[in-house]
Amino acid sequence: MREALRLLAAEGLATSVRNAGYSVGVLTADDIRDIYSSRRVIESGAVLRSASASDARLAAIDDAAAAAERFVHDGDWAKVGTASLEFHRAIVALAGSSRLDSFFSTTAAQLRLAFAVIPDESAFQVQWVGRDGQIADLILSGAREQAARLLDDYLTDSETQIIDGIRAAERARAHRYERTA
């Protein structure tokens, strides 16, 4: 159990509190900026170099985008979020690097924690599905530079909304604290 908690802390998903145990990690706006900075470099780089990706890796892009669309129709928003992260995992996999794949696995777990501050998961998730499909179509048609530009806009919009969500949650906590003090 201790080892599992230590690993969660190492991945930024839990925080060790001296003499009190562990608590769920809380990401700050700076953490989100850092996550998205790394995502831009890795994902855009993978898209731009996707000409050398295997057919199987390219098919994974298409499959993940299609899965998200199916889950929207089912109204299963948790699965929509998972499918969107799988889409981005498939983008990273285009680079053909197990180190980048591993890095993105940790990043995806941190993103799940960040998404928890979004009050309306369905409204947040649904907006990315069509964009995932557009990016997939551009990658698969060889329009890599256009796909990378669209991906950059996508990541900027996502980052902004999550930072706004974090700030709103911090403000709400501060107001609750003021009322109880």
Side-chain angles (χ1 to χ4, degrees):
M1 182 72 143
R2 283 188 194 122
E3 181 62 15
L5 288 168
R6 189 189 65 72
L7 289 172
L8 288 171
E11 291 183 355
L13 302 174
T15 304
S16 174
V17 180
R18 188 174 173 102
N19 296 324
Y22 286 84
S23 65
V24 174
V26 176
L27 297 176
T28 66
D30 286 340
D31 293 327
I32 298 304
R33 283 187 204 92
D34 188 39
I35 287 169
Y36 277 82
S37 179
S38 65
R39 288 187 70 189
R40 279 186 191 84
V41 170
I42 293 168
E43 291 183 54
S44 294
V47 166
L48 291 171
R49 289 162 187 80
S50 63
S52 63
S54 70
D55 290 344
R57 286 190 173 144
L58 291 169
I61 296 279
D62 202 25
D63 292 345
E69 290 177 13
R70 282 192 308 277
F71 295 134
V72 165
H73 293 294
D74 296 342
D76 192 336
W77 301 110
K79 286 185 179 177
V80 171
T82 298
S84 186
L85 285 173
E86 287 304 314
F87 173 74
H88 290 277
R89 187 182 318 275
I91 287 176
V92 172
L94 293 173
S97 167
S98 60
R99 283 181 174 84
L100 289 178
D101 294 343
S102 178
F103 175 82
F104 191 78
S105 288
T106 298
T107 300
Q110 292 170 347
L111 285 168
R112 284 262 185 225
L113 190 59
F115 295 161
V117 302
I118 302 299
D120 185 350
E121 185 177 11
S122 63
F124 179 73
Q125 293 297 345
V126 76
Q127 67 184 313
W128 311 117
V129 175
R131 291 168 88 173
D132 287 349
Q134 290 174 330
I135 293 166
D137 289 344
L138 290 168
I139 292 169
L140 296 171
S141 67
R144 289 177 286 284
E145 289 183 17
Q146 190 178 352
R149 282 192 301 275
L150 186 57
L151 177 62
D152 186 65
D153 291 343
Y154 175 121
L155 292 173
T156 296
D157 293 344
S158 178
E159 174 185 21
T160 299
Q161 289 181 40
I162 292 171
I163 288 173
D164 288 346
I166 287 171
R167 288 178 175 155
E170 288 171 350
R171 186 171 173 82
R173 275 193 302 273
H175 284 301
R176 279 194 304 269
Y177 177 75
E178 288 172 1
R179 285 191 294 246
T180 61

